[in-house]
Amino acid sequence: SLGAVRGRMLLWFVGMSFLASWLVFRDPALDYRVIVVGALLPDLIDGPTGHAGVAHSLLFSAVLLGVVVLATRGRRRLRRTLVALPIGTFLHLFLDGVWSNREVFLWPFAGTDLGDDRLPSLARGLADVPLELAGAAVLVWAWHRFRLGEPDRRRTLLRTGHLGRDLVS
């Protein structure tokens, strides 16, 4: 159920998608809020069924990227913001280990039957606990690394999704 999804794997996806995108891009102007939304999106879409579905496929993230690119043609600033959404969904696939489920990950190229496997974030059970703790640890690290205890920096991140340019090293 969606309620079960909301209570599961939040910190893992939030913390690790933030960290991965920071490590790859090192871009203070990337909208980290949108990346996090993207990282939660596949579970929000497929969550009501409780099963890994189309939103957990590689095709879903690729089509989302294509839609963003086409819809933002000539609008560079909007594109820069919205491209973070498919970045987040691609990160979700990696963080969820969906590639190990060929039917879902390669849908429809490996066949049109998605199977009936539960959402990975529901199927792991207690194995989620260390992942959630890792996500929490990353968020604590980010709080200190990006000095989010300072109200102005926190407001900027919450309002724009951006980190302080002076903190890029």
Side-chain angles (χ1 to χ4, degrees):
S1 76
L2 185 55
V5 173
R6 269 191 233 136
R8 297 270 188 153
M9 299 303 291
L10 179 68
L11 299 177
W12 171 248
F13 290 121
V14 171
M16 298 310 252
S17 65
F18 176 87
L19 176 63
S21 56
W22 169 252
L23 291 174
V24 169
F25 299 108
R26 297 266 176 177
D27 186 351
L30 193 61
D31 193 327
Y32 291 91
R33 300 168 308 170
V34 178
I35 286 177
V36 166
V37 168
L40 298 172
L41 191 59
D43 277 358
L44 291 173
I45 291 172
D46 288 341
T49 68
H51 298 282
V54 172
H56 281 77
S57 70
L58 190 59
L59 181 64
F60 174 82
S61 292
V63 167
L64 182 59
L65 177 60
V67 167
V68 166
V69 168
L70 291 174
T72 59
R73 219 168 87 207
R75 299 191 330 244
R76 188 170 177 245
R77 186 176 234 153
L78 181 61
R79 176 178 287 176
R80 182 173 179 80
T81 298
L82 292 182
V83 78
L85 194 63
I87 289 171
T89 61
F90 279 116
L91 284 168
H92 179 97
L93 300 180
F94 171 74
L95 293 168
D96 224 6
V98 173
W99 70 86
S100 66
N101 183 334
R102 187 173 186 269
E103 292 81 19
V104 174
F105 186 66
L106 295 177
W107 179 89
F109 307 108
T112 56
D113 182 12
L114 288 162
D116 61 353
D117 288 351
R118 295 183 70 202
L119 280 175
S121 57
L122 292 176
R124 281 187 292 268
L126 288 178
D128 284 345
V129 173
L131 298 177
E132 284 292 272
L133 292 173
V138 166
L139 292 172
V140 169
W141 167 84
W143 181 268
H144 293 289
R145 167 65 176 84
F146 300 106
R147 296 171 30 195
L148 296 173
E150 298 173 21
D152 288 342
R153 291 185 187 276
R154 192 170 53 252
R155 268 193 298 276
T156 297
L157 179 63
L158 293 173
R159 189 175 41 81
T160 68
H162 301 167
L163 300 168
R165 289 191 180 280
D166 61 322
L167 297 176
V168 179
S169 58

